[in-house]
Amino acid sequence: MEKFRQYLHATKTYIAERSDLFVGIGVVAGLLAIVGIVVLVNELSGPQIVYQPIKACEVFTPAEAQSLLGERINNTEKNEPQISGNFGVSKCGYSDLNSQAMMVAAVTIRSGINDEGVAKNKSDFAQSDAVNASEDVPGIGDGAFFNGKAGQLNVLKGKSWYIFSYGLGDSPEQNTLEKAKELAQKVLS
């Protein structure tokens, strides 16, 4: 028992003499734990948004839709960018209420929210152009092609891939490149 008391006294003396060291070790261990938790939460929270995705209805406004479709329009699709993987996808569409044949003007924007998303946009854009036997359209954005089967003008500009549709709502294959370019010029300017 005496030896235990001596050991206990020696331990207390050792700790008392080096209390700054033990406090420092405790502080460093606490900081490392906090940093580890922050890194873990950050990694588990999903993709990092470095570039804010474009909101389609902010670049394709009701006034622009009216200039294409007439005064009476219906906003058929409006949403905030939906984040999925390294992209933010936003859609905005309008239909006309002026005639029997429903005309539709719509834009979908796939924005790269980080460098991986931007690179994937570029590679997917090029692949889609090659696969769809599309017509290249010079002079718009960083690259553009018209997919006649879907009636869509695809434009790569900066970090984003835009898809424009403008024509008869029930027959998109009848959409023309000229109409789609007219819509693209309003949105991209």
Side-chain angles (χ1 to χ4, degrees):
M1 188 70 156
E2 186 60 35
K3 281 192 167 199
F4 179 72
R5 284 187 192 153
Q6 287 175 346
Y7 176 75
L8 189 59
H9 178 69
T11 302
K12 285 181 181 178
T13 303
Y14 180 81
I15 290 173
E17 290 172 356
R18 291 166 181 80
S19 64
D20 291 343
L21 174 66
F22 287 106
V23 168
I25 290 172
V27 168
V28 169
L31 287 174
L32 287 174
I34 290 171
V35 168
I37 290 170
V38 167
V39 167
L40 181 63
V41 166
N42 195 24
E43 288 297 318
L44 295 176
S45 67
Q48 295 299 308
I49 299 177
V50 177
Y51 312 116
Q52 286 302 314
I54 296 171
K55 296 178 181 178
C57 283
E58 286 184 5
V59 295
F60 184 33
T61 64
E64 290 163 330
Q66 287 174 324
S67 73
L68 295 169
L69 300 170
E71 286 300 311
R72 297 183 54 223
I73 60 168
N74 182 35
N75 189 318
T76 58
E77 187 166 18
K78 177 181 180 178
N79 64 29
E80 290 294 312
Q82 303 299 307
I83 304 300
S84 177
N86 295 310
F87 307 102
V89 178
S90 180
K91 299 177 181 182
C92 188
Y94 300 91
S95 62
D96 97 44
L97 301 173
N98 301 301
S99 65
Q100 297 289 36
M102 183 175 67
M103 294 290 287
V104 174
V107 62
T108 299
I109 305 171
R110 182 173 118 166
S111 302
I113 61 171
N114 53 38
D115 291 336
E116 292 84 9
V118 172
K120 185 78 168 130
N121 255 355
K122 289 178 182 178
S123 66
D124 288 356
F125 180 87
Q127 183 179 7
S128 182
D129 184 12
V131 167
N132 290 310
S134 304
E135 174 186 347
D136 286 335
V137 181
I140 300 177
D142 302 326
F145 65 88
F146 183 72
N147 179 338
K149 290 179 185 174
Q152 297 175 331
L153 175 62
N154 291 260
V155 177
L156 186 66
K157 182 178 180 191
K159 299 171 185 68
S160 299
W161 177 355
Y162 297 76
I163 301 173
F164 299 98
S165 299
Y166 178 29
L168 290 173
D170 60 353
S171 301
E173 69 281 354
Q174 292 182 18
N175 293 355
T176 65
L177 173 58
E178 290 71 31
K179 288 277 192 190
K181 282 173 68 174
E182 185 180 353
L183 171 57
Q185 288 168 347
K186 289 191 178 296
V187 172
L188 297 174
S189 60

